[in-house]
């Protein structure tokens, strides 16, 4: 049958999803990311991934593969040992863990299970667009609060929350430390968020994906029990981004409600679970080494940036494994800078990926990579600024 003999359906898209605009020369973002992934010479500073591990986690997964554990379906809610290790890592007791295929699935399930069509959700801008996209599917509004300002420490504050919430606000998103800036919350700030949540019957979604890179970190669950959802990821400090495993931790009634929205009833990838168990059990052996490397790497970047006119780091030191470099004073478009650096085998990320309002100002870079690769960036970046500077 020829194409003209039948109609091709063209259904309307049901949901808003932030568009990933590919660089010039690419028809779609997936082809671009595949090219970056396949380029073995590319220095990986564009996805906040961690490239500093030894073989401990990998060997545990290799052993699981050799034993052909993947021939059987795993327990649908995951290994008890893994869930207990997560609770131990956080110092929690009497809470439930729901394992998911990456923290991203946890975010989606939380929004689907807990939000209603009349609700709104408070998020920060800059932030992580995927969370807002999910919130907008199940709530009336994902309400972005501008936070790109030294005045509020480049993060959502309790005062900003009060100014932007209303009687329909149902959930507050605290990405802590914040992607892309690396800002984080003090214990007093989290206590104040908890009080606001209690007074107004709000959920606090505490995304702690980058917590292990922070100089210090606190958990809002300790101050708003029964109203907090803690999002846990193995993608960053454990270096397991491609293995897609994470989870959400909360009280039993909340987790039971979220389980009702689960689609993946046949369980989380079993090889990933073995890797996660190995990562948690060996954490004390590698944790400080990775942190020290990251602190040294960002110190080198800061030292390189300091003398460059018109360029600055809004947040330093960063409490995550990434930071942003503000290029606005040099008149440089971050997308132009990102494309320029790709030609130097340096994969970074332009700001529009994390902010519609402020993305034209900054480049996001991650630094949980070998220090020798950071040295390459520190050599090439000043040259790039001078080549692209317009002010």
């Amino acid at each position: 049958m020829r194409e003209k003999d039948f109609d091709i359906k063209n259904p309307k898209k049901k949901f808003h999803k932030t568009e990933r605009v590919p660089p010039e020369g690419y028809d779609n973002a997936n082809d671009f990311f595949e090219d970056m992934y396949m380029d073995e010479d590319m220095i990986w500073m564009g996805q906040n991934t961690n490239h500093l591990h030894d073989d401990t986690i990998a060997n545990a997964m290799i052993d699981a593969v050799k034993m052909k554990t993947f021939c059987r379906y795993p327990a649908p809610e995951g290994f008890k040992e893994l869930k207990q290790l997560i609770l131990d890592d956080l110092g929690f007791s009497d809470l439930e863990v729901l394992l998911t295929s990456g923290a991203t699935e946890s975010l989606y399930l939380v929004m689907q299970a807990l939000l209603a069509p009349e609700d709104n959700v408070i998020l920060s801008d800059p932030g992580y667009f995927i969370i807002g996209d999910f919130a907008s599917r199940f709530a009336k509004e994902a309400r972005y609060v501008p936070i790109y300002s030294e005045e509020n420490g480049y993060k959502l504050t309790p005062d900003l929350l009060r100014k932007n919430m209303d009687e329909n606000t149902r959930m507050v998103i605290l990405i802590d430390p914040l992607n892309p800036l690396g800002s984080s919350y003090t214990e007093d700030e989290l206590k104040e968020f908890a009080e606001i949540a209690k007074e107004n019957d709000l959920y606090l979604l505490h995304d702690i994906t980058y917590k292990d890179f922070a100089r210090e970190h606190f958990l809002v669950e300790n101050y708003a029990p029964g109203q907090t959802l803690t999002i846990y990821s193995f993608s960053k400090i454990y270096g397991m981004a491609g293995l897609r495993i994470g989870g959400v931790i909360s009280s039993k009634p909340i987790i039971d409600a979220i389980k009702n929205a689960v689609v993946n009833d046949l369980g989380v990838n079993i090889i990933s679970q073995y890797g996660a168990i190995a990562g948690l059990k060996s954490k004390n052996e590698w944790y400080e080494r990775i942190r020290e490397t990251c602190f040294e790497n960002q110190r080198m970047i800061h030292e390189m940036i300091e003398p460059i006119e018109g360029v600055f780091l809004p947040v330093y030191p960063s409490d995550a494994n990434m930071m942003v470099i503000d290029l606005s004073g040099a008149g440089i478009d971050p997308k132009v800078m990102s494309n320029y650096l790709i030609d130097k085998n340096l994969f970074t990320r332009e700001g529009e990926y994390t902010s519609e309002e402020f993305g034209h100002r900054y480049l996001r870079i991650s630094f949980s990579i070998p220090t020798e690769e950071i040295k390459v960036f520190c050599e090439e970046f000043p040259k790039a600024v001078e080549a692209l500077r317009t002010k």
Side-chain angles (χ1 to χ4, degrees), residues 48 175-184 209-217 236-237 290-291 294-295 298 315 317-324 364-368:
N48 303 344
I175 307 173
D176 176 28
L178 178 62
N179 178 9
L181 288 153
S183 44
S184 61
T209 294
Y210 301 97
K211 81 172 183 70
D212 288 306
F213 297 98
R215 290 164 294 175
E216 60 178 356
H217 190 270
K236 309 307 178 183
I237 195 67
I290 288 178
R291 283 166 51 85
C294 288
F295 288 135
Q298 69 163 311
V315 175
S318 166
D319 279 320
N321 67 332
M322 97 296 288
M323 57 173 52
V324 307
R364 188 191 72 184
I365 60 168
S366 53
F367 44 79
S368 46

Side-chain angles (χ1 to χ4, degrees), residues 319-339:
D319 279 320
N321 67 332
M322 97 296 288
M323 57 173 52
V324 307
I325 302 175
D326 193 300
L327 303 169
S328 59
I332 299 173
D333 183 333
K335 179 168 280 191
V336 173
M337 174 62 82
S338 179
N339 290 339

Side-chain angles (χ1 to χ4, degrees), residues 154-208:
Y154 294 96
K155 58 186 173 182
L156 185 69
T157 64
D159 285 344
L160 283 173
L161 172 57
R162 290 190 181 93
K163 290 174 183 176
N164 286 277
M165 63 184 289
D166 59 28
E167 66 276 7
N168 292 318
T169 301
R170 187 57 51 224
M171 185 178 291
V172 181
I173 310 300
L174 302 174
I175 307 173
D176 176 28
L178 178 62
N179 178 9
L181 288 153
S183 44
S184 61
Y185 293 102
T186 67
E187 187 173 22
D188 286 343
E189 287 169 335
L190 291 179
K191 287 179 178 179
E192 193 168 351
F193 280 123
E195 289 305 310
I196 296 171
K198 293 173 187 176
E199 293 166 5
N200 296 277
D201 192 26
L202 306 178
Y203 289 111
L204 293 174
L205 188 150
H206 196 195
D207 186 333
I208 60 168

Side-chain angles (χ1 to χ4, degrees), residues 258-371:
I258 298 170
K259 285 180 182 178
N260 185 250
V262 167
V263 173
N264 188 14
D265 276 331
L266 295 178
V268 173
N269 185 300
I270 196 165
I271 305 302
S272 299
Q273 290 191 60
Y274 281 113
I277 289 170
L280 282 159
K281 284 186 171 180
S282 64
K283 191 172 183 179
N284 288 338
E285 299 170 17
W286 48 259
Y287 176 63
E288 285 302 331
R289 174 182 60 80
I290 288 178
R291 283 166 51 85
E292 288 170 8
T293 300
C294 288
F295 288 135
E296 173 61 15
N297 287 352
Q298 69 163 311
R299 185 199 64 77
M300 290 171 59
I301 294 168
H302 175 257
E303 188 176 84
M304 177 269 292
I305 293 289
E306 276 286 279
I308 303 177
E309 185 178 351
V311 177
F312 72 99
L313 302 177
V315 175
Y316 178 80
S318 166
D319 279 320
N321 67 332
M322 97 296 288
M323 57 173 52
V324 307
I325 302 175
D326 193 300
L327 303 169
S328 59
I332 299 173
D333 183 333
K335 179 168 280 191
V336 173
M337 174 62 82
S338 179
N339 290 339
Y340 185 96
L341 290 173
I342 284 172
D343 289 338
K344 306 298 180 183
N345 288 328
L346 290 158
F347 173 39
T348 60
R349 187 64 61 85
E350 62 272 15
E352 69 178 28
Y353 187 75
T354 50
S355 175
E356 290 186 359
E357 184 171 349
F358 305 104
H360 65 285
R361 294 181 59 100
Y362 62 80
L363 185 77
R364 188 191 72 184
I365 60 168
S366 53
F367 44 79
S368 46
I369 61 176
T371 299

